[in-house]
Amino acid sequence: MTLKTKLMSAVAGAAMLAGASAASAQEITVGYFLEWPMPFQYAKVEGMYEEALGMTVNWRAFDTGTAMSAAMASGDVQLSVSQGVPPFVVATSAGQDLQAVDVAVSYADNDNCVVAEALEIDKTNAGELAGKKVAVPLGTAAHYGFLKQMNHFGVDLASMDIVNMAPPEGAAAIAQGAVDMFCGWGGSLRRALEHGNVLLTGAEKEDLGILVFDVTSGPADFIAENPEVVATFLKVTADANAMWADDANRDKMLPVIAKDSGMDVDATAATIDTFVFPPVDEQLTEKWMGGGAQEFMKGVADVFVEAGSIDAALDTYENNVNIGPLEQASGM
């Protein structure tokens, strides 16, 4: 099976289900990631979302953003927190009517590829990755970063054995010597680094235009039918981010976030300290939701098309970014 076939089969079901009706806003189900600590989890545990929304909020953990897309397409999930831009772009390019409503987190240092230490390959001899086996969660931010890095180093993708693995599986595979390179994020990236090294740092990736950020996303029909719900959800998230930005709250919030993430406190601190949570006023600027995010989505799609991972990109992703709820949240 080709890389393109694998990726398109992963999103085909999501695209076909994209017309599923939005759930009634008597309660909502929200997708998120374990081992991906964020301030919203303090509000999640403390019941702040339920209090503000006046409804039950069910939380469902996922391994990848592509799985989030499928769950939103089926109507099982109404919002996803911290969905990577690449899986969002893959889904929307395939016809799924999703919208991004905020910038959840920016994390150039917490999504990367790791080469097995036994190979002794770094940026000075990265061409030696030709012919090697790599674990990549297809259609994710890690996949996009992998493609961009291999292009930068001139490694022929056709020469590589690219295996679709969720980050926890990929981290186990590199630890066992079953793959030569791992690509992923969060706790899985941290475990993979025990067995290898990165090719480029976060700053070096950004210099190459490899931005890494996630969005809060949802089906366009749910967002249109429940604007108050979405705006209120984003307001609670923004308030949690503001709490975290105040160092006085760190000792109170960190243990709660760690437990909800399925991580110990030290690992949580090491991970979350590499994250940036832009405040609402910054998110609404040209850099992010005011135009930059839309342009970046187009760039991601074009890279995937060039790599043969998806059939075609949309002409524009402007309709897949909806700043209305965030603007409403900023005034609450």
Side-chain angles (χ1 to χ4, degrees):
M1 183 180 287
T2 66
L3 175 62
K4 177 176 173 181
T5 302
K6 291 177 183 176
L7 181 53
M8 294 312 296
S9 65
V11 301
M16 291 175 65
L17 289 168
S21 61
S24 171
Q26 302 300 313
E27 62 180 56
I28 59 172
T29 299
V30 180
Y32 73 109
F33 292 118
L34 292 175
E35 295 193 327
W36 196 243
M38 297 174 64
F40 85 86
Q41 289 173 274
Y42 181 81
K44 167 183 178 288
V45 173
E46 295 297 316
M48 295 177 182
Y49 287 99
E50 285 89 349
E51 182 178 355
L53 290 165
M55 67 173 66
T56 299
V57 180
N58 305 303
W59 298 89
R60 179 175 166 188
F62 289 89
D63 284 333
T64 67
T66 50
M68 285 177 168
S69 294
M72 288 188 287
S74 68
D76 292 339
V77 168
Q78 285 71 58
L79 293 172
S80 290
V81 178
S82 210
Q83 182 179 32
V85 170
F88 176 88
V89 167
V90 168
T92 52
S93 298
Q96 188 173 351
D97 196 7
L98 293 178
Q99 290 183 333
V101 291
D102 82 354
V103 176
V105 60
S106 177
Y107 53 99
D109 276 315
N110 214 316
D111 186 302
N112 215 333
C113 295
V114 176
V115 182
E117 58 187 351
L119 296 178
E120 297 184 344
I121 294 176
D122 59 23
K123 64 183 178 182
T124 66
N125 61 341
E128 295 179 17
L129 286 169
K132 297 297 188 288
K133 186 174 184 178
V134 54
V136 183
L138 299 184
T140 66
H143 182 201
Y144 173 71
F146 162 72
L147 293 176
K148 292 284 284 187
Q149 289 191 61
M150 294 306 97
N151 180 68
H152 171 69
F153 289 116
V155 179
D156 182 7
L157 292 173
S159 75
M160 305 185 79
D161 182 5
I162 301 171
V163 184
N164 184 18
M165 286 189 181
E169 299 168 351
I174 196 171
Q176 296 162 1
V179 298
D180 300 307
M181 184 163 70
F182 155 96
C183 296
W185 56 81
S188 298
L189 172 60
R190 195 174 62 255
R191 289 191 294 275
L193 283 168
E194 296 174 4
H195 306 282
N197 56 275
V198 299
L199 297 172
L200 297 171
T201 66
E204 289 171 330
K205 289 191 301 173
E206 287 187 341
D207 287 344
L208 295 177
I210 307 175
L211 301 177
V212 187
F213 67 97
D214 289 356
V215 297
T216 298
S217 59
D221 57 353
F222 175 81
I223 295 167
E225 293 166 15
N226 300 278
E228 291 286 341
V229 170
V230 178
T232 301
F233 185 92
L234 296 182
K235 171 61 174 173
V236 175
T237 300
D239 288 348
N241 288 342
M243 286 181 64
W244 178 253
D246 183 347
D247 287 340
N249 294 318
R250 184 181 177 94
D251 290 344
K252 174 177 67 175
M253 297 178 72
L254 186 60
V256 176
I257 295 170
K259 183 177 180 181
D260 193 64
S261 300
M263 303 167 67
D264 63 47
V265 171
D266 289 343
T268 299
T271 299
I272 199 170
D273 286 345
T274 66
F275 290 169
V276 176
F277 305 100
V280 171
D281 58 349
E282 183 178 337
Q283 292 183 48
L284 289 171
T285 65
E286 186 69 20
K287 176 182 178 180
W288 294 113
M289 305 292 278
Q294 296 88 325
E295 292 178 7
F296 182 68
M297 289 173 185
K298 176 61 174 172
V300 170
D302 289 343
V303 166
F304 278 174
V305 171
E306 184 178 353
S309 301
I310 61 176
D311 287 325
L314 301 180
D315 291 335
T316 177
Y317 290 82
E318 291 179 2
N319 293 334
N320 299 106
V321 175
N322 184 347
I323 64 172
L326 193 61
E327 288 179 325
Q328 186 175 347
S330 70
M332 288 181 170

